[in-house]
């Protein structure tokens, strides 16, 4: 069993939330899955200083593919060249950088677009009936990518700021509220989504949600 994990850099504010990524890897490894990290060979939207909590100088650049390799200490594969045939399921952990780097959400909101390569990958997984999972900000990428493809898609974006949730509710999908620690399961479309995980939550709390998400995805194989 092979699982793709979509990363967008190393750090919650300008890439993927590291805790969510690591706990996703852990849950998948416990289930016996081989992990295939995928990312874009493209500069991040911005570089954020997680110590000062401020954006770094504008001339600083960091490549998503290179930064993503830091998390699991191994090379990540390029989203633009990998295909859905290389894994059995796909998971997108959250982080503000997920929206910044893998879509145009920050600049376009209602009209936001998902990176073409990622959208094609997600659509390919859906068409070939491979389970898709997402946490927090990652949910937006699945929602937009499968809008108009999946029939009666059901997802949750609970926990996100109201302006973000409003964007999801205007898409041609079904958004349902979900309690913290729970997951939203769309069995007919093989999609499992989890509410936003606040960065202040303990690792134990995060792990509980992510283990549940991975467990429900594996049941769909």
């Amino acid at each position: 069993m092979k699982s793709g994990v979509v990363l967008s850099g190393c750090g919650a504010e300008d890439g993927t939330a590291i805790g969510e990524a690591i706990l996703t890897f852990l849950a998948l490894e416990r289930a016996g899955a081989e992990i295939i990290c995928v990312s874009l060979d493209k500069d991040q939207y911005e570089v954020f200083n997680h110590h000062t909590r401020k954006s770094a100088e504008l001339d600083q650049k960091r490549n998503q593919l290179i930064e993503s390799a830091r998390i699991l200490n191994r090379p990540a594969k390029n989203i633009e060249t990998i295909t859905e045939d290389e894994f059995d399921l796909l998971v997108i952990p959250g982080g503000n950088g997920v929206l910044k780097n893998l879509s145009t959400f920050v600049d376009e909101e209602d009209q936001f677009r998902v990176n073409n390569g990622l959208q094609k990958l997600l659509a390919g997984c859906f068409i070939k009936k491979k389970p898709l999972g997402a946490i927090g900000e990652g949910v937006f990428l699945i929602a937009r990518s499968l809008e108009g493809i999946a029939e009666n898609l059901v997802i949750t974006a609970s926990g996100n700021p109201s302006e973000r949730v409003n964007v999801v509710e205007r898409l041609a999908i079904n958004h349902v509220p979900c309690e913290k620690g729970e997951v939203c399961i769309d069995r007919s479309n093989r999609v499992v989504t989890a509410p936003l995980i606040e960065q202040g939550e303990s690792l134990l709390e995060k792990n509980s949600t992510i283990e549940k998400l991975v467990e429900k995805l594996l049941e769909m194989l």
Side-chain angles (χ1 to χ4, degrees), residues 7-9 37-44 62-70 74-79:
L7 304 175
S8 63
C37 295
V38 299
S39 189
L40 287 177
D41 188 7
K42 181 180 178 182
D43 284 342
Q44 296 176 178
R62 290 187 182 177
N63 178 278
Q64 294 179 55
L65 198 66
I66 294 172
E67 290 299 301
S68 294
R70 291 176 180 270
R74 70 176 68 163
K77 294 194 174 185
N78 191 340
I79 286 173

Side-chain angles (χ1 to χ4, degrees), residues 28-204:
L28 289 167
E29 283 198 356
R30 279 178 172 161
E34 177 185 341
I35 297 166
I36 302 173
C37 295
V38 299
S39 189
L40 287 177
D41 188 7
K42 181 180 178 182
D43 284 342
Q44 296 176 178
Y45 180 86
E46 66 174 348
V47 175
F48 188 87
N49 186 321
H50 288 75
H51 177 66
T52 64
R53 309 303 301 172
K54 296 179 181 178
S55 293
E57 297 297 326
L58 294 177
D59 60 351
Q60 284 197 38
K61 303 292 183 184
R62 290 187 182 177
N63 178 278
Q64 294 179 55
L65 198 66
I66 294 172
E67 290 299 301
S68 294
R70 291 176 180 270
I71 301 180
L72 198 55
N73 194 28
R74 70 176 68 163
K77 294 194 174 185
N78 191 340
I79 286 173
E80 303 284 358
T81 57
I82 199 169
T83 72
E84 64 277 3
D85 295 325
E86 296 188 46
F87 38 74
D88 303 297
L89 68 153
L90 186 67
V91 185
I92 311 176
N96 281 323
V98 171
L99 286 179
K100 294 174 183 176
N101 298 330
L102 301 177
S103 78
T104 61
F105 189 94
V106 174
D107 297 318
E108 298 180 349
E109 293 192 350
D110 274 7
Q111 306 303 317
F112 83 98
R113 293 164 287 119
V114 176
N115 170 268
N116 288 335
L118 179 56
Q119 184 168 18
K120 180 180 177 182
L121 187 63
L122 292 171
C125 286
F126 173 76
I127 291 168
K128 294 188 177 180
K129 302 185 183 304
K130 299 190 175 187
L132 295 168
I135 305 163
E137 294 88 351
V139 173
F140 291 78
L141 306 181
I142 288 181
R144 176 63 92 189
S145 296
L146 299 188
E147 183 186 28
I149 301 176
E151 185 175 353
N152 297 319
L153 178 66
V154 180
I155 61 96
T156 187
S158 291
N160 278 278
S162 58
E163 59 270 21
R164 285 186 186 173
V165 175
N166 290 340
V167 171
V168 167
E169 290 179 337
R170 287 192 285 269
L171 297 178
I173 61 170
N174 299 303
H175 172 256
V176 297
C178 189
E179 293 294 326
K180 176 181 174 181
E182 297 299 320
V183 296
C184 172
I185 305 167
D186 182 344
R187 297 191 186 281
S188 62
N189 287 307
R190 292 181 174 83
V191 172
V192 183
T193 50
L196 182 80
I197 295 178
E198 297 178 7
Q199 295 309 308
E201 289 184 35
S202 71
L203 287 175
L204 288 174

